[in-house]
Amino acid sequence: MDSDRRSAQVERLEVVDTGRRRRWSEDEKLKIVLESLQAPRQVAATARRYGVSRSLLLRWRRSFRPEPQDAAHQAGFVPAMVVAESGPTSGLVGPAGIGAIEIEFAAGARMRITGTVDAATLKAAVAALADGRLR
């Protein structure tokens, strides 16, 4: 137990009003973002100068980042549908450039194709996997 009774008493309590939330306009945000991009390692210094957190400044930088010009050509998941053959397929089949195609069958089998492959060989392998003859 504490023998000093005065230590438990609060003599002075001060509540400091920090003000309301600061609302930054888009122009102000852009000015701060551009200033943070002027030199390497300027994020923390710029954030301190304007009284914002580094994470908020980094969020603003991401939001003002220009969109890639070839956004439509980015890699990603592309759903495929199996359609009836419209004519004779001859030649090579495969992804253009660097990449791979992965086919997952209902039975749980999975086929991964990298590069180019002969269309007849691919058709035979897909048929074998679909019938369960190949594991």
Side-chain angles (χ1 to χ4, degrees):
M1 289 271 228
D2 192 8
S3 62
D4 186 12
R5 304 187 103 218
R6 292 187 61 203
S7 66
Q9 295 176 352
V10 177
E11 292 181 15
R12 180 178 178 186
L13 179 63
E14 187 175 332
V15 177
V16 179
D17 184 21
T18 58
R20 294 181 183 240
R21 227 178 163 166
R22 175 83 195 255
R23 302 285 184 202
W24 298 92
S25 70
E26 294 297 314
D27 293 334
E28 290 172 321
K29 289 179 189 178
L30 182 59
K31 177 184 165 226
I32 294 170
V33 166
L34 290 175
E35 186 175 322
S36 73
L37 295 170
Q38 292 300 319
R41 296 188 300 263
Q42 287 295 309
V43 175
T46 306
R48 273 192 307 271
R49 190 174 305 113
Y50 289 96
V52 297
S53 66
R54 288 181 303 156
S55 62
L56 179 60
L57 180 53
L58 290 173
R59 189 179 317 148
W60 289 349
R61 286 173 64 155
R62 278 192 305 273
S63 69
F64 283 110
R65 185 181 305 152
E67 291 294 320
Q69 296 297 329
D70 59 344
H73 301 292
Q74 290 181 347
F77 177 75
V78 179
M81 293 177 28
V82 178
V83 295
E85 204 173 317
S86 61
T89 48
S90 61
L92 300 175
V93 176
I98 304 172
I101 297 174
E102 189 168 308
I103 304 169
E104 188 169 336
F105 295 87
R110 188 178 293 169
M111 175 187 286
R112 184 174 177 87
I113 303 163
T114 56
T116 56
V117 65
D118 180 54
T121 305
L122 178 61
K123 186 175 181 180
V126 168
L129 273 174
D131 293 342
R133 292 179 283 158
L134 188 63
R135 285 273 169 182

